[in-house]
Amino acid sequence: MRVPRALRAAALIAAAVLLGLLAVQGTYALWNAATSAPPGTVQAASFTVNLTGSPSGVSTPMTQANGQAASLSLNSAAASLTPGTSAYASATVTNASDAGGAFSITVTADNANVANVGAGTLAAYLTVNAKIGATTADCSVTSGYNTTLTATTGLTSAAVPKGGSTVLCFQVTLAANAPATVKGQSVNITVPLTARQLCGVPAGCP
């Protein structure tokens, strides 16, 4: 039996990202810190985080110009997924802030939502696992997928400095006991991503 990798999901991962003010609530210390400065031009810093999906190759800022969260499709051309096998994809997250001083972030992939398309039952036979990779090539390595996003846990990266990147790897596995009735069915898999600013004030955060 072959199940189209639309399994990858009408969007394997639509990274609905809650960013901007929502993501940095509680970490305003950097913006509220007071210091003296000589007269001159004051320019606001940006909290810019960029996403690049693989294998789709699509790139987008996590927050759109209108302040809305971005949605990134990691879907690729149709392939096939059989019972007991897995499909892989990744999202590279880059800290592109131009803020002065230390401005590291962490990125969290929260619980995945797997929704059947139409009256299908495929979602019950899929598991979404995640891990952090150094490069996108790491994502096709089957070991290390110890976080199950279809359970009740999320995955948070190590600190990502300005100009640095981290790779979130996703593994979608079709259960070995998937029945023939799911053949040709598809699902939508959504994984929310959140970027959070770490303390960047030299004197420390209150």
Side-chain angles (χ1 to χ4, degrees):
M1 180 192 78
R2 297 176 71 81
V3 179
R5 184 136 86 183
L7 250 193
R8 271 270 192 165
L12 195 175
I13 310 278
V17 188
L18 302 177
L19 219 257
L21 297 181
L22 291 178
V24 297
Q25 285 182 354
T27 60
Y28 285 128
L30 174 60
W31 304 112
N32 293 338
T35 185
S36 60
T41 301
V42 177
Q43 181 176 346
S46 69
F47 186 67
T48 303
V49 179
N50 295 323
L51 295 171
T52 301
S54 177
S56 68
V58 175
S59 296
T60 182
M62 288 179 80
T63 302
Q64 303 298 292
N66 58 5
Q68 297 300 305
S71 181
L72 177 71
S73 173
L74 305 188
N75 195 27
S76 63
S80 61
L81 189 61
T82 55
T85 63
S86 302
Y88 299 89
S90 68
T92 300
V93 184
T94 302
N95 180 357
S97 172
D98 62 2
F103 196 99
S104 296
I105 63 171
T106 58
V107 183
T108 300
D110 290 309
N111 297 343
N113 178 51
V114 184
N116 289 306
V117 174
T121 59
L122 177 60
Y125 300 96
L126 292 176
T127 301
V128 181
N129 296 314
K131 69 177 182 178
I132 302 297
T135 67
T136 56
D138 292 339
C139 299
S140 59
V141 177
T142 59
S143 61
Y145 281 98
N146 301 320
T147 299
T148 303
L149 296 182
T150 38
T152 57
T153 55
L155 177 67
T156 299
S157 72
V160 183
K162 286 190 302 181
S165 298
T166 190
V167 179
L168 300 177
C169 300
F170 303 100
Q171 176 193 59
V172 180
T173 302
L174 179 61
N177 64 346
T181 53
V182 301
K183 182 178 181 179
Q185 295 182 11
S186 60
V187 297
N188 287 316
I189 302 176
T190 303
V191 177
L193 301 183
T194 305
R196 293 181 174 85
Q197 171 208 343
L198 299 178
C199 176
V201 179
C205 293

